[in-house]
C-alpha cells in the first residue's frame, strides 16, 4: 500500500503540477483501483494522505479552529507605481544598499497555510484572524496540486493562494444554483464546502509563495526554488531586482524564466505587468514586492499588522475602506434570517454607505468576517453595497461572527436549511410585522398611509396582527394617538379603501407566500389560473406536477404552491379578504371570459396554425372557455391541437392516448363565439 501510494502521488505531481505524465490514464486508474481495493480491506492501514483522499468524502466536514504556528500577516499596500518605487528606494537605503527584491503576482484567491511534519501534510488552515485559522484539510487534500507528502522530513509551513482560473470559474459557476460573484469567492467558498467530495469537483489550483523551513536557506529565492523542488507549484511569473549583478545571476540560475534588472527598472516592470494582467488566465489584484534576504527581513521587522520588508502594489484603487461596527440580524416575513453589516459610514461613488447585506453564515465564514474588522466595500452593479473582503482583522475574539442560536425577536431556536437560517415560528412578531409591511408597500398594494411606523404602532397595540385586520380595523380608534389627527385618519381610510381595487395579480403577490412573487403570479395567470379558486382547487385536488406544467414555475415553487393553498390559515386569510372586497379574479380587460365549454381540459399546441398567428391566440381562446394550456405533453394533457408540420409532441401525445384535434376541428369546437 505504501509503495502504491508513493507511486500514485508521484504520478499526480507529474500530471497536475509538471504537466508531464509518464503513464496513461488507464494505467494510473489501474494503480489507484488496486490501492482502493487494499484500503477497503485494510482500512486501519490507509494513510490520511493517501492519494485516494483526492476524491474527497461524503461525510460532513467540521472546520475546527487551530492556532497558527507561523505568523500569518497581511500586507501594507500602495496604489501608484511611483509610490512603490519610493518605498523600494527607502527600504534599500535602510538595508545599506545590498539588497534584492522579488516581485510576485498577488493572486486573487483564498489564502491558505499548509503545515507538514515528517514529510506528511498535517493540516491546512485558512488565514482566520492571523493567529487562529479554520482547519479545512479535507477540502485542501482534494486539490491535486497540493503535495500530500514531500521528501523533506523536517517540519515545514507553506503559505500559498488557492485559486480558480476565470475560464473554469465561468464554466463551473454556470451550473450552480447559487452563483458566486467572482473566482475568489468560489475558491474561498469551496475551501469551506461541507462535503469534500463536492470540493473535489471544483478545479482549484495553488501557488505557493512563502516557505517556513526549520533550517537552511537564507534567501527567499532559495526558499521558492526549494518549494518548487519539493513538488509545490511556484508561480514562474516572477521578477528579481537588485543593484547587485551577482545576486541577479544567482536568481537567474534558480529561475531561468525570471525577469530581472536593477532597482530603477521596477517601476517600468510594475506598469508592464499591470497592463498585461487581463491576458492572464486567473485574477491578479496586484503585485507583491519582498526583500529576499531573510536576515534583512528579521532586521526590518514588523509593524503591528504588516511586515516592513514587503509591500503590495494594488491595481485597483480602493473600493472604500470601512469598519464592521456590528451585525444586525434581520428576520423576513418567511422567516429567513439575513445578517446585515452595520458599517462605519463611508462615502462611495456618490453616496454614504452604512449597511450592506451579508447574505448568510456561509458568506460571513467565507470572508472570515468578525466585528471590528477593517473591510473593503464595493457597489455591485454600481448600486448595491457589498462587503468584498477583510482588509485587517481586529484582534478581538471570536474571529468570525456567528449568527445567534435563537430568533432575536421571539427566541425560537433557528433552524438551518441549505445556506440559510430560518425562524420557523409563524407567530413571530417580527415575521408578522414584516408581512404587513410587505403587503402595504408601494410595489404591492401601495397603501401609502400605512408605512413602517404606523404598522408598528397598529401591531404593538394588537389592533392589526394579520393582513385581513387591515380591512377590518376601525381606524377611528387611532384618535388620540400621538400624530394621528382626524385628517390623517381620514387619509388612511381612503387609501385602505382605494387598495381594494388593485388587480388580482397584485393581491396574490402581496399575500407574500414564499416563492409566489410577480413573475410566478404572471405565469400562473397566463396559464389560465386567473381565479384564486382555480389555484386552491388544483392544490386541494392534485399534486405539484399540475403547477409545474406552467411555463415559468419550477418544481420547488410548484410544491410551495400546493403547501400554501392547502394551509387552513392561508385559506382563511383569503376568505376574509374576499369578504372585505379585494379582487381574487383577473379580468382580461379586452377579452372577457365566454363560457365553460373547455373547463377541466388541459391543452398543448404544436405545429403552425393557419388562423391563429401567433399560436398564443389559440391559447387565449381555450382560456376564455375555461380551459388551460401547457407547454409540454404529459400524462395530464387532455387535448393536443396539432397544426401543420407538428413536432415530437404529436408522437408523444399519440403514445399517451391524448385526443388529437386538427385546426378545423378546433374551430368547430369554439362554437358560435
Ligand atoms: S505575501 C507576510 N505573496 O495577498 C507575507 N501574499 O495581504 C504576506 N497573496 O491574503 C503575504 N499572492 O493570501 C504574498 N505572492 C504573494 C501573494 C500573496 C496573493 C495574498 C495573501 C494575502 C494577501 C496579502
Amino acid at each position: 500500500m505504501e509503495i502504491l501510494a508513493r507511486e500514485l502521488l508521484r504520478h499526480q505531481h507529474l500530471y497536475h503540477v509538471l504537466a508531464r505524465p509518464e503513464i496513461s490514464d488507464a494505467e494510473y486508474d489501474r494503480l489507484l483501483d488496486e490501492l482502493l481495493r487494499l484500503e477497503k480491506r485494510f482500512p486501519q492501514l490507509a494513510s490520511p494522505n493517501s492519494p485516494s483522499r483526492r476524491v474527497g468524502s461524503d461525510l460532513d466536514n467540521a472546520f475546527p479552529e487551530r492556532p497558527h504556528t507561523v505568523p500569518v500577516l497581511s500586507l501594507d499596500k500602495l496604489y501608484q507605481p511611483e509610490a512603490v518605487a519610493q518605498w523600494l528606494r527607502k527600504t534599500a537605503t535602510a538595508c545599506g544598499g545590498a539588497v534584492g527584491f522579488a516581485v510576485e503576482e498577488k493572486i486573487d484567491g483564498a489564502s491558505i497555510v499548509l503545515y507538514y511534519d515528517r514529510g506528511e501534510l498535517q493540516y491546512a488552515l485558512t488565514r482566520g484572524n492571523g493567529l487562529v485559522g479554520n482547519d479545512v484539510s479535507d477540502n485542501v487534500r482534494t486539490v491535486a496540486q497540493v503535495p500530500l507528502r514531500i521528501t523533506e522530513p523536517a517540519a515545514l509551513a507553506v503559505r500559498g493562494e488557492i485559486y480558480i482560473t476565470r475560464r473554469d470559474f465561468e464554466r463551473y459557476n454556470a451550473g450552480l444554483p447559487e452563483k458566486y460573484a467572482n473566482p475568489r469567492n468560489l475558491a474561498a467558498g469551496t475551501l469551506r464546502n461541507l462535503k469534500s467530495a463536492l470540493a473535489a469537483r471544483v478545479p482549484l489550483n495553488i501557488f505557493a509563495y512563502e516557505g517556513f523551513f526549520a533550517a537552511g536557506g537564507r534567501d527567499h529565492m532559495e526558499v521558492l526554488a526549494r518549494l518548487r523542488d519539493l513538488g509545490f507549484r511556484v508561480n514562474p511569473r516572477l521578477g528579481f531586482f537588485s543593484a547587485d549583478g551577482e545576486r541577479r545571476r544567482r536568481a537567474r540560475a534558480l529561475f531561468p524564466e525570471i525577469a530581472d534588472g536593477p532597482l530603477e527598472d521596477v517601476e517600468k516592470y510594475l506598469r508592464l505587468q499591470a497592463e498585461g494582467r487581463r491576458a492572464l488566465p486567473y485574477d491578479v489584484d496586484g503585485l507583491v514586492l519582498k526583500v529576499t534576504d531573510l536576515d534583512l527581513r528579521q532586521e526590518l521587522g514588523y509593524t503591528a499588522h504588516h511586515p516592513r520588508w514587503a509591500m503590495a502594489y494594488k491595481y485597483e484603487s480602493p473600493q472604500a475602506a470601512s469598519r464592521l461596527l456590528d451585525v444586525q440580524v434581520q428576520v423576513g416575513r418567511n422567516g429567513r434570517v439575513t445578517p446585515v453589516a452595520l458599517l462605519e459610514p463611508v462615502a462611495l461613488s456618490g453616496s454614504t454607505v452604512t449597511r450592506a447585506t451579508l447574505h448568510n453564515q456561509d458568506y460571513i465564514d467565507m470572508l472570515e468576517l468578525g466585528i471590528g474588522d477593517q473591510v473593503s466595500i464595493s457597489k455591485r452593479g454600481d448600486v448595491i453595497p457589498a462587503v468584498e473582503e477583510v482588509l485587517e482583522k481586529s484582534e478581538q475574539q471570536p474571529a468570525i461572527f456567528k449568527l445567534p442560536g435563537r430568533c432575536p425577536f421571539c427566541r425560537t431556536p433557528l433552524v438551518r436549511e441549505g445556506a440559510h437560517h430560518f425562524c420557523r415560528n409563524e407567530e413571530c412578531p417580527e415575521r408578522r410585522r414584516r408581512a404587513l409591511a410587505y403587503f402595504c408597500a408601494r410595489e404591492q398594494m401601495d397603501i401609502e398611509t400605512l408605512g413602517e411606523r404606523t404598522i408598528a404602532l397598529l401591531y404593538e397595540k394588537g389592533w392589526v396582527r394579520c393582513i385581513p385586520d387591515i380591512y377590518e380595523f376601525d381606524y377611528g380608534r387611532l384618535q388620540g394617538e400621538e400624530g394621528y389627527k382626524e385628517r390623517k385618519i381620514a387619509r388612511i381610510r381612503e387609501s385602505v379603501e382605494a387598495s381594494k381595487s388593485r388587480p388580482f395579480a397584485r393581491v396574490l403577490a402581496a399575500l407574500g407566500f414564499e416563492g409566489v412573487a410577480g413573475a410566478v403570479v404572471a405565469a400562473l395567470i397566463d396559464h389560465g389560473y386567473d381565479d384564486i379558486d382555480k389555484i386552491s382547487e388544483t392544490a386541494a385536488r392534485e399534486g405539484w406536477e399540475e403547477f409545474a406544467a406552467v411555463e415559468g414555475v419550477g418544481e420547488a415553487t410548484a410544491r410551495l404552491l400546493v403547501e400554501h393553498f392547502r394551509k387552513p390559515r392561508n385559506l382563511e386569510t383569503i376568505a376574509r379578504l374576499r369578504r372585505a372586497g379585494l379582487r381574487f379574479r383577473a379580468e382580461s380587460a379586452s377579452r372577457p371570459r365566454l363560457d365553460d365549454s373547455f373547463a377541466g381540459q388541459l391543452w398543448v399546441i404544436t405545429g403552425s396554425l393557419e388562423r391563429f398567428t401567433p399560436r398564443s391566440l389559440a391559447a387565449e381562446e381555450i382560456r376564455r372557455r375555461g380551459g388551460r394550456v401547457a407547454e409540454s405533453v404529459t400524462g395530464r394533457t387532455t387535448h393536443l391541437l396539432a397544426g401543420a408540420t407538428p413536432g415530437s409532441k404529436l408522437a408523444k401525445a399519440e403514445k399517451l392516448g391524448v385526443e388529437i384535434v386538427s385546426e378545423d376541428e378546433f374551430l368547430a369546437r369554439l362554437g358560435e363565439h
Side-chain angles (χ1 to χ4, degrees), residues 73-75 104-108 110-112 127 159-161 209-210 285 288 290 302 307 309-310:
L73 300 163
S74 58
L75 296 167
E104 300 169 7
E105 286 179 334
K106 189 167 178 304
I107 310 286
D108 199 8
S111 198
I112 194 79
R127 190 168 71 171
R159 270 194 83 173
E161 200 79 359
Y209 57 73
E210 290 286 321
D285 59 344
V288 187
K290 301 173 177 175
Y302 303 84
W309 46 263

PDB file of all heavy atoms in Angstrom, residues 73-75 104-108 110-112 127 159-161 209-210 285 288 290 302 307 309-310, ligand 1:
ATOM      1  N   LEU A  73       0.622  37.231   8.508  1.00  0.00           N
ATOM      2  CA  LEU A  73       0.323  38.660   8.424  1.00  0.00           C
ATOM      3  C   LEU A  73      -0.228  39.006   7.055  1.00  0.00           C
ATOM      4  O   LEU A  73      -0.132  38.228   6.116  1.00  0.00           O
ATOM      5  CB  LEU A  73       1.600  39.460   8.669  1.00  0.00           C
ATOM      6  CG  LEU A  73       2.241  39.206  10.026  1.00  0.00           C
ATOM      7  CD1 LEU A  73       3.666  39.701  10.025  1.00  0.00           C
ATOM      8  CD2 LEU A  73       1.422  39.857  11.119  1.00  0.00           C
ATOM      9  N   SER A  74      -0.813  40.203   6.968  1.00  0.00           N
ATOM     10  CA  SER A  74      -1.211  40.693   5.654  1.00  0.00           C
ATOM     11  C   SER A  74      -0.270  41.828   5.260  1.00  0.00           C
ATOM     12  O   SER A  74       0.610  42.208   6.020  1.00  0.00           O
ATOM     13  CB  SER A  74      -2.661  41.145   5.673  1.00  0.00           C
ATOM     14  OG  SER A  74      -2.829  42.150   6.635  1.00  0.00           O
ATOM     15  N   LEU A  75      -0.484  42.340   4.067  1.00  0.00           N
ATOM     16  CA  LEU A  75       0.476  43.290   3.502  1.00  0.00           C
ATOM     17  C   LEU A  75      -0.026  44.721   3.544  1.00  0.00           C
ATOM     18  O   LEU A  75      -1.219  44.978   3.398  1.00  0.00           O
ATOM     19  CB  LEU A  75       0.739  42.928   2.032  1.00  0.00           C
ATOM     20  CG  LEU A  75       1.385  41.578   1.789  1.00  0.00           C
ATOM     21  CD1 LEU A  75       1.295  41.218   0.315  1.00  0.00           C
ATOM     22  CD2 LEU A  75       2.836  41.609   2.250  1.00  0.00           C
ATOM     23  N   GLU A 104       6.307  39.408  -7.060  1.00  0.00           N
ATOM     24  CA  GLU A 104       5.435  38.275  -7.367  1.00  0.00           C
ATOM     25  C   GLU A 104       4.044  38.769  -7.712  1.00  0.00           C
ATOM     26  O   GLU A 104       3.636  39.838  -7.284  1.00  0.00           O
ATOM     27  CB  GLU A 104       5.332  37.355  -6.134  1.00  0.00           C
ATOM     28  CG  GLU A 104       6.668  36.792  -5.699  1.00  0.00           C
ATOM     29  CD  GLU A 104       6.588  36.121  -4.329  1.00  0.00           C
ATOM     30  OE1 GLU A 104       5.474  35.994  -3.791  1.00  0.00           O
ATOM     31  OE2 GLU A 104       7.647  35.741  -3.811  1.00  0.00           O
ATOM     32  N   GLU A 105       3.323  37.965  -8.448  1.00  0.00           N
ATOM     33  CA  GLU A 105       1.920  38.291  -8.691  1.00  0.00           C
ATOM     34  C   GLU A 105       1.134  38.105  -7.401  1.00  0.00           C
ATOM     35  O   GLU A 105       1.354  37.144  -6.664  1.00  0.00           O
ATOM     36  CB  GLU A 105       1.346  37.372  -9.772  1.00  0.00           C
ATOM     37  CG  GLU A 105       1.835  37.729 -11.160  1.00  0.00           C
ATOM     38  CD  GLU A 105       1.286  36.809 -12.225  1.00  0.00           C
ATOM     39  OE1 GLU A 105       0.952  35.645 -11.912  1.00  0.00           O
ATOM     40  OE2 GLU A 105       1.218  37.241 -13.387  1.00  0.00           O
ATOM     41  N   LYS A 106       0.222  39.019  -7.156  1.00  0.00           N
ATOM     42  CA  LYS A 106      -0.665  38.878  -5.996  1.00  0.00           C
ATOM     43  C   LYS A 106      -1.952  38.234  -6.502  1.00  0.00           C
ATOM     44  O   LYS A 106      -2.830  38.896  -7.043  1.00  0.00           O
ATOM     45  CB  LYS A 106      -0.940  40.242  -5.371  1.00  0.00           C
ATOM     46  CG  LYS A 106      -1.666  40.161  -4.046  1.00  0.00           C
ATOM     47  CD  LYS A 106      -1.618  41.511  -3.340  1.00  0.00           C
ATOM     48  CE  LYS A 106      -2.363  41.493  -2.024  1.00  0.00           C
ATOM     49  NZ  LYS A 106      -3.744  41.074  -2.128  1.00  0.00           N
ATOM     50  N   ILE A 107      -1.993  36.910  -6.375  1.00  0.00           N
ATOM     51  CA  ILE A 107      -3.128  36.155  -6.899  1.00  0.00           C
ATOM     52  C   ILE A 107      -4.363  36.445  -6.056  1.00  0.00           C
ATOM     53  O   ILE A 107      -4.299  36.466  -4.836  1.00  0.00           O
ATOM     54  CB  ILE A 107      -2.822  34.636  -6.839  1.00  0.00           C
ATOM     55  CG1 ILE A 107      -1.452  34.327  -7.448  1.00  0.00           C
ATOM     56  CG2 ILE A 107      -3.930  33.831  -7.494  1.00  0.00           C
ATOM     57  CD1 ILE A 107      -1.380  34.410  -8.924  1.00  0.00           C
ATOM     58  N   ASP A 108      -5.485  36.653  -6.729  1.00  0.00           N
ATOM     59  CA  ASP A 108      -6.716  36.980  -6.022  1.00  0.00           C
ATOM     60  C   ASP A 108      -7.515  35.707  -5.774  1.00  0.00           C
ATOM     61  O   ASP A 108      -8.410  35.349  -6.531  1.00  0.00           O
ATOM     62  CB  ASP A 108      -7.536  37.967  -6.859  1.00  0.00           C
ATOM     63  CG  ASP A 108      -8.565  38.695  -6.013  1.00  0.00           C
ATOM     64  OD1 ASP A 108      -8.529  38.544  -4.774  1.00  0.00           O
ATOM     65  OD2 ASP A 108      -9.393  39.409  -6.595  1.00  0.00           O
ATOM     66  N   ALA A 110      -7.895  32.480  -2.353  1.00  0.00           N
ATOM     67  CA  ALA A 110      -8.083  32.286  -0.917  1.00  0.00           C
ATOM     68  C   ALA A 110      -6.743  31.892  -0.309  1.00  0.00           C
ATOM     69  O   ALA A 110      -6.066  30.989  -0.785  1.00  0.00           O
ATOM     70  CB  ALA A 110      -9.121  31.208  -0.664  1.00  0.00           C
ATOM     71  N   SER A 111      -6.395  32.576   0.755  1.00  0.00           N
ATOM     72  CA  SER A 111      -5.121  32.347   1.428  1.00  0.00           C
ATOM     73  C   SER A 111      -5.159  31.022   2.195  1.00  0.00           C
ATOM     74  O   SER A 111      -6.162  30.686   2.803  1.00  0.00           O
ATOM     75  CB  SER A 111      -4.909  33.508   2.393  1.00  0.00           C
ATOM     76  OG  SER A 111      -3.582  33.589   2.766  1.00  0.00           O
ATOM     77  N   ILE A 112      -4.038  30.291   2.142  1.00  0.00           N
ATOM     78  CA  ILE A 112      -4.012  29.001   2.848  1.00  0.00           C
ATOM     79  C   ILE A 112      -2.629  28.795   3.457  1.00  0.00           C
ATOM     80  O   ILE A 112      -1.638  29.265   2.904  1.00  0.00           O
ATOM     81  CB  ILE A 112      -4.374  27.838   1.889  1.00  0.00           C
ATOM     82  CG1 ILE A 112      -4.692  26.561   2.660  1.00  0.00           C
ATOM     83  CG2 ILE A 112      -3.250  27.576   0.885  1.00  0.00           C
ATOM     84  CD1 ILE A 112      -6.083  26.546   3.238  1.00  0.00           C
ATOM     85  N   ARG A 127      -6.560  31.649   6.757  1.00  0.00           N
ATOM     86  CA  ARG A 127      -5.824  32.690   7.467  1.00  0.00           C
ATOM     87  C   ARG A 127      -6.494  33.041   8.797  1.00  0.00           C
ATOM     88  O   ARG A 127      -5.822  33.342   9.771  1.00  0.00           O
ATOM     89  CB  ARG A 127      -5.707  33.949   6.605  1.00  0.00           C
ATOM     90  CG  ARG A 127      -4.755  34.936   7.225  1.00  0.00           C
ATOM     91  CD  ARG A 127      -4.409  36.042   6.288  1.00  0.00           C
ATOM     92  NE  ARG A 127      -5.544  36.927   6.081  1.00  0.00           N
ATOM     93  CZ  ARG A 127      -5.471  38.085   5.444  1.00  0.00           C
ATOM     94  NH1 ARG A 127      -4.331  38.471   4.938  1.00  0.00           N
ATOM     95  NH2 ARG A 127      -6.526  38.826   5.305  1.00  0.00           N
ATOM     96  N   ARG A 159       2.921  28.973   2.886  1.00  0.00           N
ATOM     97  CA  ARG A 159       1.779  29.842   2.600  1.00  0.00           C
ATOM     98  C   ARG A 159       1.546  29.877   1.105  1.00  0.00           C
ATOM     99  O   ARG A 159       2.497  29.906   0.320  1.00  0.00           O
ATOM    100  CB  ARG A 159       2.043  31.279   3.072  1.00  0.00           C
ATOM    101  CG  ARG A 159       1.595  31.530   4.477  1.00  0.00           C
ATOM    102  CD  ARG A 159       1.556  33.019   4.777  1.00  0.00           C
ATOM    103  NE  ARG A 159       0.315  33.626   4.307  1.00  0.00           N
ATOM    104  CZ  ARG A 159      -0.024  34.875   4.573  1.00  0.00           C
ATOM    105  NH1 ARG A 159       0.778  35.660   5.284  1.00  0.00           N
ATOM    106  NH2 ARG A 159      -1.162  35.354   4.134  1.00  0.00           N
ATOM    107  N   GLY A 160       0.306  29.902   0.725  1.00  0.00           N
ATOM    108  CA  GLY A 160       0.002  29.953  -0.692  1.00  0.00           C
ATOM    109  C   GLY A 160      -1.398  30.477  -0.938  1.00  0.00           C
ATOM    110  O   GLY A 160      -2.122  30.812   0.000  1.00  0.00           O
ATOM    111  N   GLU A 161      -1.723  30.555  -2.203  1.00  0.00           N
ATOM    112  CA  GLU A 161      -3.029  31.060  -2.602  1.00  0.00           C
ATOM    113  C   GLU A 161      -3.739  29.981  -3.403  1.00  0.00           C
ATOM    114  O   GLU A 161      -3.182  29.439  -4.358  1.00  0.00           O
ATOM    115  CB  GLU A 161      -2.829  32.325  -3.451  1.00  0.00           C
ATOM    116  CG  GLU A 161      -4.023  33.213  -3.545  1.00  0.00           C
ATOM    117  CD  GLU A 161      -4.241  34.103  -2.323  1.00  0.00           C
ATOM    118  OE1 GLU A 161      -3.443  34.023  -1.343  1.00  0.00           O
ATOM    119  OE2 GLU A 161      -5.217  34.863  -2.324  1.00  0.00           O
ATOM    120  N   TYR A 209       3.857  30.659  -2.085  1.00  0.00           N
ATOM    121  CA  TYR A 209       4.691  31.857  -2.174  1.00  0.00           C
ATOM    122  C   TYR A 209       5.554  32.164  -0.949  1.00  0.00           C
ATOM    123  O   TYR A 209       6.370  33.077  -0.995  1.00  0.00           O
ATOM    124  CB  TYR A 209       3.858  33.078  -2.566  1.00  0.00           C
ATOM    125  CG  TYR A 209       2.702  33.377  -1.638  1.00  0.00           C
ATOM    126  CD1 TYR A 209       2.922  33.903  -0.369  1.00  0.00           C
ATOM    127  CD2 TYR A 209       1.395  33.139  -2.037  1.00  0.00           C
ATOM    128  CE1 TYR A 209       1.871  34.178   0.477  1.00  0.00           C
ATOM    129  CE2 TYR A 209       0.330  33.416  -1.197  1.00  0.00           C
ATOM    130  CZ  TYR A 209       0.579  33.935   0.054  1.00  0.00           C
ATOM    131  OH  TYR A 209      -0.457  34.202   0.885  1.00  0.00           O
ATOM    132  N   GLU A 210       5.358  31.430   0.147  1.00  0.00           N
ATOM    133  CA  GLU A 210       6.262  31.601   1.288  1.00  0.00           C
ATOM    134  C   GLU A 210       6.486  30.231   1.916  1.00  0.00           C
ATOM    135  O   GLU A 210       5.543  29.444   2.051  1.00  0.00           O
ATOM    136  CB  GLU A 210       5.666  32.529   2.363  1.00  0.00           C
ATOM    137  CG  GLU A 210       5.572  33.999   1.993  1.00  0.00           C
ATOM    138  CD  GLU A 210       6.922  34.719   2.011  1.00  0.00           C
ATOM    139  OE1 GLU A 210       7.747  34.442   2.908  1.00  0.00           O
ATOM    140  OE2 GLU A 210       7.147  35.538   1.102  1.00  0.00           O
ATOM    141  N   ASP A 285      -4.786  40.757  -8.344  1.00  0.00           N
ATOM    142  CA  ASP A 285      -5.216  42.092  -7.919  1.00  0.00           C
ATOM    143  C   ASP A 285      -4.048  43.029  -7.647  1.00  0.00           C
ATOM    144  O   ASP A 285      -4.241  44.148  -7.197  1.00  0.00           O
ATOM    145  CB  ASP A 285      -6.198  42.044  -6.742  1.00  0.00           C
ATOM    146  CG  ASP A 285      -5.625  41.371  -5.513  1.00  0.00           C
ATOM    147  OD1 ASP A 285      -4.604  40.673  -5.638  1.00  0.00           O
ATOM    148  OD2 ASP A 285      -6.202  41.545  -4.425  1.00  0.00           O
ATOM    149  N   VAL A 288       3.326  41.792  -5.430  1.00  0.00           N
ATOM    150  CA  VAL A 288       3.892  41.866  -4.087  1.00  0.00           C
ATOM    151  C   VAL A 288       5.398  42.022  -4.223  1.00  0.00           C
ATOM    152  O   VAL A 288       6.040  41.262  -4.950  1.00  0.00           O
ATOM    153  CB  VAL A 288       3.589  40.594  -3.267  1.00  0.00           C
ATOM    154  CG1 VAL A 288       4.047  40.778  -1.830  1.00  0.00           C
ATOM    155  CG2 VAL A 288       2.109  40.261  -3.311  1.00  0.00           C
ATOM    156  N   LYS A 290       8.994  41.949  -2.240  1.00  0.00           N
ATOM    157  CA  LYS A 290       9.512  41.383  -0.998  1.00  0.00           C
ATOM    158  C   LYS A 290      11.026  41.460  -0.969  1.00  0.00           C
ATOM    159  O   LYS A 290      11.681  41.108  -1.964  1.00  0.00           O
ATOM    160  CB  LYS A 290       9.124  39.903  -0.881  1.00  0.00           C
ATOM    161  CG  LYS A 290       7.647  39.619  -0.913  1.00  0.00           C
ATOM    162  CD  LYS A 290       7.403  38.113  -0.960  1.00  0.00           C
ATOM    163  CE  LYS A 290       5.915  37.838  -0.923  1.00  0.00           C
ATOM    164  NZ  LYS A 290       5.617  36.409  -1.093  1.00  0.00           N
ATOM    165  N   TYR A 302       8.499  44.197  11.830  1.00  0.00           N
ATOM    166  CA  TYR A 302       7.070  44.297  11.545  1.00  0.00           C
ATOM    167  C   TYR A 302       6.448  45.505  12.231  1.00  0.00           C
ATOM    168  O   TYR A 302       6.896  45.912  13.281  1.00  0.00           O
ATOM    169  CB  TYR A 302       6.347  43.041  12.067  1.00  0.00           C
ATOM    170  CG  TYR A 302       6.903  41.770  11.479  1.00  0.00           C
ATOM    171  CD1 TYR A 302       8.032  41.157  12.033  1.00  0.00           C
ATOM    172  CD2 TYR A 302       6.303  41.197  10.376  1.00  0.00           C
ATOM    173  CE1 TYR A 302       8.550  39.998  11.488  1.00  0.00           C
ATOM    174  CE2 TYR A 302       6.807  40.038   9.823  1.00  0.00           C
ATOM    175  CZ  TYR A 302       7.932  39.442  10.380  1.00  0.00           C
ATOM    176  OH  TYR A 302       8.434  38.301   9.833  1.00  0.00           O
ATOM    177  N   PRO A 307       4.482  43.187   7.653  1.00  0.00           N
ATOM    178  CA  PRO A 307       5.940  43.154   7.620  1.00  0.00           C
ATOM    179  C   PRO A 307       6.457  44.457   6.981  1.00  0.00           C
ATOM    180  O   PRO A 307       5.817  44.995   6.086  1.00  0.00           O
ATOM    181  CB  PRO A 307       6.242  41.951   6.726  1.00  0.00           C
ATOM    182  CG  PRO A 307       5.014  41.716   5.921  1.00  0.00           C
ATOM    183  CD  PRO A 307       3.864  42.274   6.691  1.00  0.00           C
ATOM    184  N   TRP A 309       9.177  44.484   5.395  1.00  0.00           N
ATOM    185  CA  TRP A 309      10.029  44.043   4.289  1.00  0.00           C
ATOM    186  C   TRP A 309       9.233  43.706   3.026  1.00  0.00           C
ATOM    187  O   TRP A 309       9.792  43.221   2.045  1.00  0.00           O
ATOM    188  CB  TRP A 309      10.866  42.833   4.714  1.00  0.00           C
ATOM    189  CG  TRP A 309      10.092  41.763   5.449  1.00  0.00           C
ATOM    190  CD1 TRP A 309      10.020  41.600   6.796  1.00  0.00           C
ATOM    191  CD2 TRP A 309       9.294  40.720   4.874  1.00  0.00           C
ATOM    192  NE1 TRP A 309       9.216  40.525   7.112  1.00  0.00           N
ATOM    193  CE2 TRP A 309       8.764  39.966   5.951  1.00  0.00           C
ATOM    194  CE3 TRP A 309       8.981  40.339   3.572  1.00  0.00           C
ATOM    195  CZ2 TRP A 309       7.935  38.858   5.756  1.00  0.00           C
ATOM    196  CZ3 TRP A 309       8.156  39.247   3.372  1.00  0.00           C
ATOM    197  CH2 TRP A 309       7.636  38.526   4.462  1.00  0.00           C
ATOM    198  N   ALA A 310       7.935  43.929   3.066  1.00  0.00           N
ATOM    199  CA  ALA A 310       7.118  43.621   1.884  1.00  0.00           C
ATOM    200  C   ALA A 310       6.085  44.715   1.668  1.00  0.00           C
ATOM    201  O   ALA A 310       5.723  45.437   2.587  1.00  0.00           O
ATOM    202  CB  ALA A 310       6.427  42.269   2.048  1.00  0.00           C
TER     203      ALA A 310
HETATM  204  S1  LIG B   1       2.953  37.594   0.828  1.00  0.00           S
HETATM  205  C1  LIG B   1       3.969  38.379   5.070  1.00  0.00           C
HETATM  206  N1  LIG B   1       2.732  36.877  -1.681  1.00  0.00           N
HETATM  207  O1  LIG B   1      -2.415  38.659  -0.551  1.00  0.00           O
HETATM  208  C2  LIG B   1       3.655  37.771   3.769  1.00  0.00           C
HETATM  209  N2  LIG B   1       0.725  37.299  -0.465  1.00  0.00           N
HETATM  210  O2  LIG B   1      -2.345  40.655   2.337  1.00  0.00           O
HETATM  211  C3  LIG B   1       2.280  38.144   3.333  1.00  0.00           C
HETATM  212  N3  LIG B   1      -1.335  36.941  -1.759  1.00  0.00           N
HETATM  213  O3  LIG B   1      -4.188  37.324   1.773  1.00  0.00           O
HETATM  214  C4  LIG B   1       1.806  37.519   2.128  1.00  0.00           C
HETATM  215  N4  LIG B   1      -0.349  36.330  -3.641  1.00  0.00           N
HETATM  216  O4  LIG B   1      -3.077  35.469   0.558  1.00  0.00           O
HETATM  217  C5  LIG B   1       2.064  37.217  -0.570  1.00  0.00           C
HETATM  218  N5  LIG B   1       2.697  36.203  -3.912  1.00  0.00           N
HETATM  219  C6  LIG B   1       2.037  36.554  -2.797  1.00  0.00           C
HETATM  220  C7  LIG B   1       0.620  36.599  -2.741  1.00  0.00           C
HETATM  221  C8  LIG B   1       0.012  36.988  -1.549  1.00  0.00           C
HETATM  222  C9  LIG B   1      -1.515  36.540  -3.026  1.00  0.00           C
HETATM  223  C10 LIG B   1      -2.427  37.288  -0.812  1.00  0.00           C
HETATM  224  C11 LIG B   1      -2.295  36.626   0.527  1.00  0.00           C
HETATM  225  C12 LIG B   1      -2.857  37.626   1.486  1.00  0.00           C
HETATM  226  C13 LIG B   1      -2.810  38.919   0.767  1.00  0.00           C
HETATM  227  C14 LIG B   1      -1.801  39.830   1.395  1.00  0.00           C
END
